[in-house]
Amino acid sequence: MRILVCPHDMQLGGSSINAVDLARAVRDLGHEVWVMGRQGPLRQRVAAAGLPLLALPERAHVRPSPAVSRAIAGAVRRHRIDVVHTYEYWPLVEAFLGTFVPRGTPVLGTIMSMGSLPPYFPRTGVPLTVGYGDLYEETGELRGLEGARVHLLEPPIDTAIDHPVAAAAADGGTPEVDVDAFAAEHGLLKPAPTVVLVSRLAKHLKQEHLERTMDAVARLSAELTGLRLVLVGGGSIERELQARAARLNGDLGRRAIVLTGGMADPRPAYALADVVVGMGSSALRGMAFGKPTVVVGEEGFSRPVTPETIGDFDGLGFYGRGAGRVPVERDPLVGQLTALLGDQAERERIGTWSLDLVHERFALDRHALRLVEWYEQARAERPVVRGRVGEAVRVGGRLVGFKAAQRGQALRARTRSRRAATTS
């Protein structure tokens, strides 16, 4: 098959990394695969995988973008694409609106992000994979509609490169992942209890997760000598978090919170960790290194991933929402980190179990085999062009309503803000 993969963007986020890893794995099964995207650090991962990269227009003033739809349609024609595989909502709609003209090429969408399906989402003609159980149940109403099959595809982990022996020198040779070089670069050579968090530094979904972990480690530093947090990632709130780290480190009188910036290959950080904090794919990558992992979500949620708690993550995936954020002195994350960092035997027990779980349930090669089956199914069940045109018209109508509602909400918010300013 000839497959075109359209990641959400070319940043180092979980969904986009998953897109490239699955594209490489499907290529390795004998298929021709192209990746399509704008500029961004993920291009390095695409190049390292040996995947051909097609360019998208760099600026999209509106989403969905007609220019992106035209670019996808052109790529489908030039490369005689059999299936277009998109990740997240805007790329899916852009591909759907662009590909019913050239050869009626089927589009398969993957949704890894949290939240309900938006109202403009195509309801027929688009097979879908979703990353967690609650969204799979929500989309149950779509199953059985023409071309609207829904599959559960949890985040894939490449267990061939994300594994604990990557950092261990075999037969006295050079380790695949140079932890010592990473530690030296960031001033982490002195052995000390280490919490690692790898994430995009973004407001949406991530900010509470990042701030709570920083605050919890600072709170524990008085009790655990030398405790440090290594935070790997870049993004829109990086400067804000650097300022927070500087303030916390100043209060502690030492460098307990270390921000490394973004890393195309964060494996040395995972390998250095005693405990990993994360959500989604980053939590799973920590588990793939045999590390005990705590999932920190939103509204005060945090929970270690253990044999006793794994069922709690079936609904929302490796994420969660609590009853509300609380001050650090009452944050359950503090106690959870204390328990793990203070008990090496427990860390080893959970780490071994975590490694086995990732291999059995989340391995990339198994996910790629299932994905190829769904590509073949999408080709076999390709809906007629007339039906797709009708659904495209309905999608356009729903988009107009959605955009109008967004503009109305923004206008009301500005009006409230102006009123508050004049009365203060």
Side-chain angles (χ1 to χ4, degrees):
M1 275 184 295
R2 302 166 73 85
I3 301 145
L4 178 65
V5 174
C6 301
H8 170 61
D9 57 30
M10 299 303 283
Q11 302 304 311
L12 294 174
S15 175
S16 297
I17 290 172
N18 291 340
V20 174
D21 287 353
L22 282 166
R24 170 173 52 83
V26 168
R27 187 272 316 275
D28 291 347
L29 291 173
H31 302 278
E32 293 184 78
V33 183
W34 289 260
V35 175
M36 198 167 197
R38 298 181 178 85
Q39 295 293 326
L42 196 67
R43 281 175 168 250
Q44 297 176 24
R45 197 177 185 98
V46 175
L51 292 163
L53 179 63
L54 307 177
L56 279 176
E58 284 301 320
R59 293 194 176 185
H61 297 291
V62 296
R63 301 295 302 269
S65 164
V68 170
S69 292
R70 289 193 296 270
I72 292 173
V76 168
R77 290 190 184 96
R78 284 193 308 276
H79 299 287
R80 304 190 308 279
I81 297 297
D82 295 307
V83 178
V84 179
H85 185 180
T86 68
Y87 286 77
E88 311 310 333
Y89 297 115
W90 288 134
L92 191 156
V93 173
E94 288 160 341
F96 179 75
L97 294 178
T99 58
F100 62 81
V101 176
R103 305 171 64 234
T105 306
V107 176
L108 183 143
T110 287
I111 306 299
M112 293 284 185
S113 59
M114 308 308 299
S116 300
L117 292 181
Y120 54 78
F121 185 79
R123 301 292 165 174
T124 62
V126 178
L128 189 66
T129 82
V130 297
Y132 57 97
D134 281 1
L135 187 55
Y136 181 73
E137 293 302 320
E138 180 185 332
T139 54
E141 65 196 52
L142 298 179
R143 295 195 288 276
L145 297 178
E146 180 187 9
R149 292 181 179 270
V150 182
H151 311 278
L152 181 63
L153 183 70
E154 295 177 301
I157 299 299
D158 188 348
T159 53
I161 64 171
D162 288 326
H163 57 87
V165 297
D171 300 324
T174 303
E176 180 184 339
V177 175
D178 195 339
V179 181
D180 290 340
F182 169 75
E185 179 182 357
H186 296 287
L188 304 169
L189 285 174
K190 183 179 179 180
T194 301
V195 176
V196 166
L197 197 168
V198 180
S199 174
R200 283 185 300 109
L201 307 187
K203 284 185 178 294
H204 180 59
L205 289 179
K206 306 293 186 180
Q207 187 160 11
E208 177 190 329
H209 158 82
L210 297 163
E211 291 177 347
R212 285 178 59 207
T213 305
M214 295 171 74
D215 293 348
V217 169
R219 174 80 176 181
L220 279 173
S221 290
E223 303 172 24
L224 295 174
T225 303
L227 175 65
R228 62 198 177 195
L229 169 66
V230 179
L231 201 167
V232 178
S236 60
I237 62 170
E238 186 168 359
R239 287 187 179 180
E240 186 177 337
L241 294 177
Q242 287 172 338
R244 191 185 196 92
R247 186 170 63 253
L248 292 170
N249 288 340
D251 292 342
L252 294 169
R254 67 180 185 86
R255 191 165 165 260
I257 315 295
V258 180
L259 275 68
T260 69
M263 293 178 64
D265 181 3
R267 291 182 297 163
Y270 287 122
L272 182 67
D274 292 298
V275 175
V276 168
V277 169
M279 64 167 68
S281 296
S282 70
L284 284 167
R285 287 193 171 94
M287 293 166 65
F289 273 85
K291 307 294 183 174
T293 297
V294 181
V295 171
V296 178
E298 293 186 291
E299 297 297 325
F301 178 91
S302 64
R303 191 161 299 161
V305 186
T306 70
E308 296 76 30
T309 67
I310 185 61
D312 299 341
F313 298 101
D314 288 342
L316 285 177
F318 290 84
Y319 171 80
R321 293 192 185 97
R325 191 169 176 176
V326 297
V328 65
E329 57 268 17
R330 294 193 285 115
D331 192 333
L333 177 60
V334 174
Q336 292 157 357
L337 291 176
T338 300
L340 287 170
L341 291 166
D343 190 337
Q344 182 177 348
E346 181 69 355
R347 290 200 305 274
E348 291 175 355
R349 178 186 81 91
I350 296 174
T352 300
W353 170 84
S354 298
L355 177 61
D356 291 342
L357 177 74
V358 170
H359 278 261
E360 292 169 6
R361 180 169 160 183
F362 299 96
L364 176 67
D365 52 356
R366 296 186 183 187
H367 280 36
L369 288 169
R370 298 170 67 203
L371 195 53
V372 168
E373 292 180 6
W374 299 334
Y375 289 157
E376 292 171 343
Q377 190 176 69
R379 280 209 306 171
E381 297 178 353
R382 177 186 316 197
V384 297
V385 171
R386 183 168 59 182
R388 290 186 67 175
V389 171
E391 180 63 8
V393 171
R394 289 188 288 272
V395 167
R398 292 194 290 265
L399 268 169
V400 169
F402 175 78
K403 296 278 189 178
Q406 278 191 322
R407 285 195 295 271
Q409 290 173 356
L411 178 61
R412 288 191 291 273
R414 286 196 297 270
T415 300
R416 288 193 298 269
S417 179
R418 284 196 296 267
R419 287 174 178 169
T422 57
T423 57
S424 61

